Amino acid sequence: MDTGLVAPCKLPSAAGKVRGVKPRPLPKTVTPLPDELLSGWLSRLAATNYCDDTELLAHIQIDYVHGTALDFSIDAATAEKIANAARVDPDVVRSLAFPAMTAREASLTAQIPFQHCMQCSREGLSLRHWRRAWAFDCQFCGTRLVQTLGKPGEEQISGKLIYRARRGAGMLECAARSRGPKQLRRAMRAVTFAMSLKTFRGDPSFAVQNPRSEVRLFCLAAIAAARSHPLAKAAIVSKSIDDYARVALLRAFETEPRLLAAVDHIAQRRARSKGPMTAASHN
């Protein structure tokens, strides 16, 4: 009785490869979904043909070490190879890679997966927008994205922080896609200050792509918080941070000395107003 099963995709041996001969089309193909990432679609294509990613790329005659790089750059010849094997149009293959990006967008687009949708991942999906630092909810099913390397207990985070981080993510997207650099500079300044409070060292663009939920969410929330009373909020914490955080604060405001002076003035005024109460609490 015919079960409808297709023989697994065989990994061709080095001796069996003939230069200049096109690989045979795969037994089965799958239709790419909107916003699907090329590497994710190739993984689904491999699973459908009962082989792994390495075997699939070997069959298509593409070096495996270049597999993940295809998400960001794919030439016409490689797209043609994949298209022939999968029986789709080469333009479809090229559409699954990231389009040309500005330097600002590129700095906020992860080279490797740092978050995913738990629901869609179970279906074998990998979507392009998951790689964006401002992506917060899955555009396919609406589920909140979670860090790929996160620990099980990390997702027990307050609803207020999640709400503010979601707002900050939206502001970050607007800033990254804006024509001028002012909005993004303001957003990254808030992230730098948030990093100082978390004693997190590194580049601000990496902080909002951090695999640790508490760092990423805190930094995104800071972008939203910076829109309302940023000086007062900076002043509240500026007197209770360590030397590294102080340096980070100075760096965040290095081009705006008046702003830093205003923060210090508010902090000193708050310290004087709370002085007697603080002293009484130690008695």
Side-chain angles (χ1 to χ4, degrees):
M1 182 175 66
D2 183 11
T3 60
L5 295 178
V6 177
C9 172
K10 299 284 188 179
L11 175 64
S13 64
K17 292 181 182 178
V18 179
R19 190 178 298 276
V21 176
K22 289 183 180 180
R24 289 185 302 172
L26 295 165
K28 290 185 176 184
T29 189
V30 291
T31 302
L33 297 175
D35 196 51
E36 189 165 17
L37 199 59
L38 179 56
S39 59
W41 176 67
L42 289 174
S43 292
R44 287 206 301 129
L45 190 62
T48 301
N49 287 279
Y50 311 104
C51 60
D52 60 28
D53 293 14
T54 307
E55 293 170 328
L56 178 71
L57 292 177
H59 174 75
I60 301 173
Q61 299 176 9
I62 298 174
D63 193 337
Y64 178 71
V65 298
H66 301 306
T68 55
L70 296 177
D71 289 332
F72 293 90
S73 178
I74 180 169
D75 57 50
T78 301
E80 187 76 26
K81 286 181 181 179
I82 297 173
N84 287 336
R87 289 176 277 132
V88 298
D89 191 279
D91 286 342
V92 172
V93 176
R94 284 192 289 268
S95 73
L96 300 177
F98 282 102
M101 293 182 280
T102 64
R104 284 180 291 170
E105 282 187 285
S107 68
L108 295 170
T109 302
Q111 296 290 312
I112 58 175
F114 75 99
Q115 62 179 352
H116 67 286
C117 170
M118 293 183 67
Q119 183 168 315
C120 292
S121 293
R122 294 191 190 102
E123 305 297 324
L125 299 182
S126 178
L127 305 185
R128 278 202 306 270
H129 74 274
W130 297 355
R131 297 284 191 92
R132 305 291 197 180
W134 57 77
F136 203 87
D137 299 301
C138 179
Q139 295 175 8
F140 191 76
C141 71
T143 303
R144 184 168 72 85
L145 301 177
V146 297
Q147 305 333 97
T148 301
L149 301 178
K151 297 178 181 178
E154 279 189 340
E155 294 308 311
Q156 297 176 359
I157 298 169
S158 75
K160 182 180 289 187
L161 178 61
I162 292 173
Y163 169 76
R164 290 175 176 172
R166 182 177 280 112
R167 287 187 60 219
M171 293 173 184
L172 179 61
E173 179 177 8
C174 290
R177 296 189 186 281
S178 64
R179 293 185 178 181
K182 185 177 180 181
Q183 288 188 46
L184 185 61
R185 188 167 56 241
R186 182 182 300 165
M188 289 297 102
R189 187 175 63 196
V191 171
T192 300
F193 184 62
M195 289 167 60
S196 73
L197 301 181
K198 282 290 183 181
T199 62
F200 176 79
R201 293 161 174 76
D203 188 89
S205 62
F206 176 70
V208 289
Q209 303 170 47
N210 198 277
R212 291 169 52 195
S213 292
E214 70 275 13
V215 172
R216 170 172 155 78
L217 293 179
F218 190 75
C219 289
L220 289 175
I223 296 174
R227 290 296 182 93
S228 58
H229 309 297
L231 296 185
K233 289 180 179 179
I236 290 172
V237 293
S238 66
K239 289 300 179 181
S240 59
I241 56 181
D242 61 20
D243 290 339
Y244 168 76
R246 181 65 179 170
V247 170
L249 178 60
L250 288 168
R251 187 171 65 246
F253 294 106
E254 64 184 353
T255 60
E256 302 175 71
R258 290 193 205 175
L259 204 56
L260 183 59
V263 170
D264 277 339
H265 177 72
I266 296 173
Q268 291 169 9
R269 190 170 62 194
R270 286 181 57 85
R272 286 195 299 269
S273 66
K274 291 188 175 183
M277 293 179 64
T278 304
S281 64
H282 288 291
N283 292 334

